[in-house]
Amino acid sequence: MSPPTPSPPPRILFLGDPVKYEPKIYERLKSQFDIVRPSNEQLQRPAFLQNLEDGSWGDFQAIMRPSWHTGGEMGKWDEELIGLLPLGVKVYASAGAGYDWVDTDCLAEHGIIYCNGAGASTEAVGDMALHHIISVFREMSWSARAARSLDPKQFHEAHHEIPAISQNPRHHTLGIVGLGQIGFAVAKKAYAACGMKIIYHDIKQKSAEQEDEVQAQFFDNVEDMLRVTDCLLLATPSTFDGGPFLTSRIISLLPAGARFVNVARGSLVDEDALASALESGHLAAAALDVHANEPHVNERLAKMQNVLLTCHTGGGVIETRTGFERLAMENVERVLTGREPYTPVNKHLIKKPVVVNGHDNDDESNGTP
């Protein structure tokens, strides 16, 4: 009697560019799983949907997107797309900390865990936020523009006028909306490097130990926090209704002369309301690394010398890309081998445990990479 045919290994649908920074982990995946990587042409939305409908890539159990800059050509992951996935898909692990482009609730309804790249970009975004905070207090955008103009008149104006309106961040109050990994990283840097007072608003208050590390004060009511904020930092992924957080009404609650920094999501800011507040002088300066209509930048803000604008490069370092690759691959590996993923976003919404090859993913407590 011939031995039974072994079951084929689980299949992974690999989206985007080849792995560049963590080849050893990729080789480990290849030794355990069958990996299918569509062409760039197949990633365009019409072709992608058609291939899913036709079953061109077979019954894959996982989706992996290790690079943030590629693999998202199909656009929004909504019911139209998610409904075409094979029934056996258990996990989608992607680069990137934000996930406003994917309907994680819909994935959960289909029993699919979504994992992001949380933590990989924390240090880089924290550094960028600190740079932006210093910039809005010291008018660095104006100073840099004047120097690069090659115009002696602009140079002298900046040299003489900036000191009359600049301030040190020290002893000023940094109000943070969202004290998650990135928000807390910024708090630690601003507290240690600049001697800023830290206050914050979040869905729930952090532990006393975490607050004590930066002498942070929690505000359950965000409006109360805004009224005593010298510099407002957005570090939250989204609002409950998906609309902007920074509106004309919210700006009006900030003290006259306050500063504003956004390293979170461009959609959180009504940019015209921000521009109006800067033009009126109610806000002294602003710095944005993210924009509402990327890659297009608000023209009113672009013309202002007291506004620092960068190209969504807060997390843009090699260490972040390396971390994104590692998390995407290891999250998939862990789910397909019956272990708890490192960075699940929506697992709490899935009604029944995810089972792969006889393993229940609730068998192991959550780990961290």
Side-chain angles (χ1 to χ4, degrees), residues 263-309:
V263 293
R265 282 305 202 229
S267 59
L268 292 173
V269 176
D270 180 338
E271 292 179 343
D272 285 323
L274 174 61
S276 295
L278 289 160
E279 288 170 348
S280 72
H282 182 71
L283 293 183
L288 309 177
D289 182 53
V290 288
H291 308 272
N293 190 30
E294 293 180 11
H296 304 288
V297 173
N298 185 285
E299 292 185 10
R300 294 172 66 192
L301 295 174
K303 295 175 182 177
M304 296 180 179
Q305 64 185 11
N306 58 341
V307 176
L308 174 67
L309 301 173

Side-chain angles (χ1 to χ4, degrees), residues 88 132 136 145 153 160 226 256 298:
H132 279 55
V136 295
R145 283 176 183 235
K153 180 181 179 182
H160 290 290
L226 294 172
N298 185 285

Side-chain angles (χ1 to χ4, degrees), residues 12-229:
I12 300 171
L13 187 68
F14 181 158
L15 306 178
D17 284 347
V19 169
K20 180 178 181 180
Y21 302 102
E22 293 283 7
K24 290 183 179 179
I25 298 178
Y26 185 61
E27 289 301 317
R28 190 173 76 216
L29 254 63
K30 288 202 301 182
S31 71
Q32 302 174 77
F33 310 112
D34 178 24
I35 300 177
V36 177
R37 183 168 164 261
S39 67
N40 289 337
E41 292 75 17
Q42 290 176 313
L43 295 181
Q44 306 307 313
R45 190 173 185 90
F48 193 73
L49 296 178
Q50 189 61 57
N51 277 279
L52 286 177
E53 190 170 0
D54 294 343
S56 302
W57 302 306
D59 291 325
F60 51 89
Q61 286 81 48
I63 306 162
M64 181 175 75
R65 181 190 174 193
S67 172
W68 174 246
H69 294 285
T70 62
E73 290 82 356
M74 69 292 300
K76 181 76 173 179
W77 280 66
D78 51 16
E79 176 59 42
E80 179 189 31
L81 189 158
I82 295 169
L84 295 175
L85 296 174
L87 294 177
V89 176
K90 305 299 180 188
V91 59
Y92 179 10
S94 175
Y99 44 89
D100 51 353
W101 53 274
V102 56
D103 189 337
T104 55
D105 289 354
C106 183
L107 284 175
E109 290 172 5
H110 288 263
I112 301 170
I113 300 172
Y114 178 77
C115 301
N116 66 351
S121 62
T122 298
E123 186 71 13
V125 178
D127 287 345
M128 180 67 86
L130 184 63
H131 166 69
H132 279 55
I133 291 167
I134 295 172
S135 175
V136 295
F137 277 96
R138 296 295 308 275
E139 297 289 342
M140 301 295 280
S141 179
W142 179 3
S143 185
R145 283 176 183 235
R148 294 173 69 89
S149 73
L150 305 180
D151 181 351
K153 180 181 179 182
Q154 290 191 44
F155 185 99
H156 283 297
E157 285 178 351
H159 178 69
H160 290 290
E161 294 179 23
I162 286 176
I165 59 173
S166 290
Q167 292 180 292
N168 290 325
R170 186 169 298 275
H171 304 312
H172 283 87
T173 300
L174 179 65
I176 303 175
V177 178
L179 201 71
Q181 290 189 64
I182 289 174
F184 188 58
V186 180
K188 290 191 293 183
K189 294 173 188 291
Y191 177 75
C194 298
M196 299 190 76
K197 178 182 178 181
I198 307 300
I199 61 177
Y200 75 98
H201 169 76
D202 209 321
I203 296 173
K204 60 186 294 187
Q205 185 171 3
K206 303 306 177 182
S207 67
E209 181 182 10
Q210 188 173 358
E211 289 182 340
D212 288 346
E213 188 172 347
V214 293
Q215 295 298 298
Q217 179 184 357
F218 172 68
F219 281 77
D220 183 56
N221 186 313
V222 69
E223 295 187 2
D224 290 341
M225 185 194 81
L226 294 172
R227 293 185 177 96
V228 292
T229 292

